[in-house]
Amino acid sequence: MRRRTGPVAQERSEAANGRTGAAAQESPGARKRRTSTAARESLGVRQGSRRASAFLARRSLATHRRAWAAVIVATGAAAALVGAFAFVVGSLLVAAPPVQRYAGADAVVAADQKVSYTAKPWGSEPQTATAYLPERARLDSSVLAAVAGADGVAKAVADDSVPVSTGDGRPAVGRSWPSAALTRYELAEGRAPEDATEVVLDGALAAGGPTPGERVVLRADGAARTYTVSGIARTGHGGDAPPAVFFTEPRLTALAGHPGRIDAIGVVAEPGVSREALRDAIGAVLPERSGVPGSDRGVRVLTGAERGEAEQVDALGGRGDQLALLGSIGGTVLMVALLVIASTLSQAIRQRSGELALLRAVGASPRQLRSAIGREAGRVSAAAALLGGIGAVPLGLAMRSLLTTGPLPLPVPWWLPPAAALTGGLLVALLARPVAMLAARSVTRLRPTAALGAATADEPSEPGRFRTVAGVVLAFAGISSAGVAATQSGQAAGAAASGAAMSLVIAVALLGPRISRIALGVLGRPLRKAGGVSGFLAERAASAHTRRLATAFTPIVLVVAFVCVQLASGPTMERAAGQQASAALRADLVATGGGAGLPAGAARAVREAPGVTAATGVLRSAVVLADRQAGEPVLTRLPVLGVEARGLSGTLDPGVTAGDLDRLTGRDTVAVGADRAKSLDVGPGDRVALRLGDGTRVEPRVVAVYEHELGLGEFLFPREALAGHVSAARDQAVLIRTEAGPGADPAAAVRQALAPYGGGVTVRAATGDDVAIAPPVSDEDNAMIVIGVGVIGGFALLAVVSTLALITIGRRGEFRLLRMVGTGRRQLRRMLVLETGLVTFAGLVIGTAVAAVPLTAFAVSVAGTAPYLPPVHYAVIAGAVALAAAAGTLVPAASAGGRFALGRRAG
């Protein structure tokens, strides 16, 4: 179709052709001068725009210093928390077991403590999972001769150990006298032991006690025996080696109970042999495998700081568990920090939307406004990064002190504090500017004419479409992924549940305005009736600013959901496990032997006591199960019990659903929990592939399936099947069933039967904790609870205070207007109290609902019960939230700007 042209179009075309012709006739010099002039003009415009942006940023920082102060506190705390977690994780990554026992050895030869499992996921390359073994993997004794013959080796010593208890119950480590050289022990008094009846005590055990020639009572492999002290040894090593008792080498081998195998080999090098040369020479003569039948463990040569790995065999495994838990909690921390930074910055910018719209209406360009906001956020983030970086170091040291209660000390290398501070500071520095500019995007992109109307318009009552869709998707993802918590156990399950809860918290933050409208619909009428004029004002203010209400209760939801998940997951599991263990227990007495445990003969001695109808020794260990999760190879360490079938029915009832526990004998049988049997698709007569605690591959035959697996563990073994594959074959307890006759005292009879086993043996009433597979809460577990709940919960409460303070500071104009129209001071105060109560109650209800979703899925699937949180704990949470909400609302309202609003009538 032919386009019509009018006079105006023709004139424009002629003008354009004229300009084109003039440009063609322009000389190169004139064109260069014209281009240079245009560039100078553009540069001047940009410099003027930057000066205007800098001016706006300076004036805004001065005008809104109270609001920015609240933002600095919240974002600085986020930076400190992230930096502290980086501090602890970095310290754990470089941590290594200390060298104490092998301080005098130049190298240590030991079996590899790691096990691996390779599988090919669907549509991917084969992947390998690794895990540390919970029990010591041993070497064949033939390896000793090979190591002794290596070049550069002056001495190679077999080092075994056994738990020993003194006559007064003090635990110690039994070793051979030749191995004393590996710790640089030297005789301070007396001589070396010469026969099986003599021992050498170290200085710690001999302090204030026996001297050479005197007698000492010790319990090792059986009943307590009397030994002659032949000498006292002391070490010049500065480390804290455990108290030791030294026997002759043949006596120690007999006490160890694993002939033909040794724990490790300590090597002393010839003078002048370097560490690397010694390692290469020993490695050249070592066999590929440890030589122990049924084991495929490799052999390692440890030098330097690695020697500590041969002392604390499970220290690195515990470190891996701690790193996994800290990583899970750290992911939650990062999401909490992002949510707090985004929430506080967005609220600070949103409260100035009218001011920004007015600046846009009077001619400020979008670039100038964005630049001004970016400059403000940059300066604020710099202050927050500095404060957070400074606070990250002491907070990280405090968290580290909680985790150093175990055998693995956490070092603090020189680079760690600045790296942790930089990590937390960079988070704030990188996020603050783009988040602030994104929050102001809706205002800065308006045309001046539209901005003039937006300067006086109310905030939108509904969130945008993208925000709504994102919130719905996250809510669905959080609900659908809550069942993942059912695949975990203990604190790991709590961490998984908190991750699901975090998705729901973010969904609440995105859908906050809609949720706040629902909350107002439910609570608005009771608020008006109970509060009178103040209730009416509170309800109308909340209805007019649903986004502000949503921003207020979002951090409360975060606190309640996170803390409830962390605090309820552990008690839920412990309560269900305790109930199952108590239901399975049939014994009425239990005997324990302190840190050294009880040898197998203790159960036999108890069975012969008058009034005892059954007695069963309980040996604790762990197995490694290779499995797949979503196609990925996974190695899981599972605690197990070793029991004696003789008298088991009288002391323990696991709730057998198939098979017969009387057949749980020998070294080739196992009983499996019902849920694990279902997942492995095994039953009586089938075989299940496992690795014992020292890595030995076994495929025992299933003889029974039982239902009390949450309390007793997922596998029950015969004691003799585990005894040869644990670091020390000592029973942690002996379960005793008695039948008291007239005038009989079975407990006294049991104590008399155990009297030959020396001090430290106790007899008391049996409880479910004596057989529960979950050990008592350790110091490391308590540390994780404190870190997860105390540190992060405290930070979230600080975020509640900062967010509510920021909102209150932004309402000073509203308070003044209410005073001008006649609202009394008491009415205004009561309005704030009612609003605080509304926010607190809504946050508590929504946060509890958010926590209940993953907790219920976890508790029902794993424990078969409802979630359990001690009422006192929830009362503390509610009280802390209420105090934080009051501090964030009422205190800023009574500050400088609020005093005018609340103190007198404005005229």
Side-chain angles (χ1 to χ4, degrees), residues 143 147 183 198 309 325 334 353 447 534 539 593 617 638 681 758 768:
V143 179
V147 173
T183 321
E198 294 182 341
E309 297 178 21
L325 288 175
L334 186 59
S353 57
R447 294 180 178 275
S534 298
E539 190 272 336
L638 300 171
D681 192 22

Side-chain angles (χ1 to χ4, degrees), residues 324-394:
L325 288 175
L326 278 177
S328 179
I329 297 175
T332 303
V333 168
L334 186 59
M335 296 186 70
V336 170
L338 294 176
L339 184 61
V340 168
I341 292 173
S343 176
T344 53
L345 281 172
S346 299
Q347 180 61 28
I349 299 301
R350 190 182 303 122
Q351 290 182 172
R352 298 170 49 199
S353 57
E355 171 190 327
L356 295 174
L358 184 60
L359 288 172
R360 184 75 181 98
V362 298
S365 67
R367 176 179 294 179
Q368 287 176 329
L369 290 180
R370 287 195 297 268
S371 178
I373 292 170
R375 286 173 182 268
E376 286 185 70
R379 295 176 183 179
V380 168
S381 66
L386 180 61
L387 291 175
I390 294 173
V393 176

Side-chain angles (χ1 to χ4, degrees), residues 67-276:
W68 284 123
V71 173
I72 289 175
V73 171
T75 53
L81 191 61
V82 173
F85 264 85
F87 186 101
V88 175
V89 171
S91 184
L92 265 175
L93 286 173
V94 299
V99 181
Q100 298 172 342
R101 180 168 167 176
Y102 298 120
D106 296 299
V108 179
V109 180
D112 190 3
Q113 285 293 137
K114 284 200 298 186
V115 62
S116 61
Y117 169 53
T118 302
K120 186 179 183 302
W122 304 308
S124 177
E125 295 297 323
Q127 297 183 8
T128 300
T130 60
Y132 283 92
L133 295 171
E135 306 285 358
R136 181 180 291 277
R138 294 187 171 93
L139 299 169
D140 190 87
S141 56
S142 62
V143 179
L144 178 63
V147 173
D151 294 336
V153 175
K155 182 190 298 184
V157 181
D159 186 38
D160 283 317
S161 63
V162 295
V164 175
S165 178
T166 63
D168 54 0
R170 287 183 294 168
V173 176
R175 300 172 62 187
S176 67
W177 174 245
S179 69
L182 304 179
T183 321
R184 296 177 184 163
Y185 274 103
E186 294 182 357
L187 281 170
E189 302 176 49
R191 56 174 175 79
E194 296 179 351
D195 56 46
T197 64
E198 294 182 341
V199 295
V200 170
L201 302 182
D202 77 349
L205 289 176
T211 58
E214 295 183 352
R215 313 281 281 178
V216 63
V217 177
L218 300 173
R219 172 166 52 85
D221 63 332
R225 292 183 56 181
T226 301
Y227 295 84
T228 300
V229 178
S230 65
I232 306 297
R234 291 183 172 84
T235 177
H237 173 55
D240 296 328
V245 177
F246 296 97
F247 301 86
T248 61
E249 189 166 14
R251 177 59 178 162
L252 192 279
T253 301
L255 292 175
H258 46 78
R261 293 181 293 163
I262 53 179
D263 290 353
I265 301 172
V267 178
V268 178
E270 294 178 348
V273 178
S274 67
R275 180 185 302 174
E276 292 75 16

Side-chain angles (χ1 to χ4, degrees), residues 54-77:
F55 171 78
L56 291 174
R58 287 195 303 271
R59 294 303 300 270
S60 180
L61 278 173
T63 304
H64 303 286
R65 59 184 181 276
R66 292 180 180 274
W68 284 123
V71 173
I72 289 175
V73 171
T75 53

Side-chain angles (χ1 to χ4, degrees), residues 584-610:
L585 185 65
R586 294 292 179 267
D588 54 331
L589 293 177
V590 62
T592 57
L598 289 170
R604 291 193 294 269
V606 169
R607 291 191 192 104
E608 298 175 359

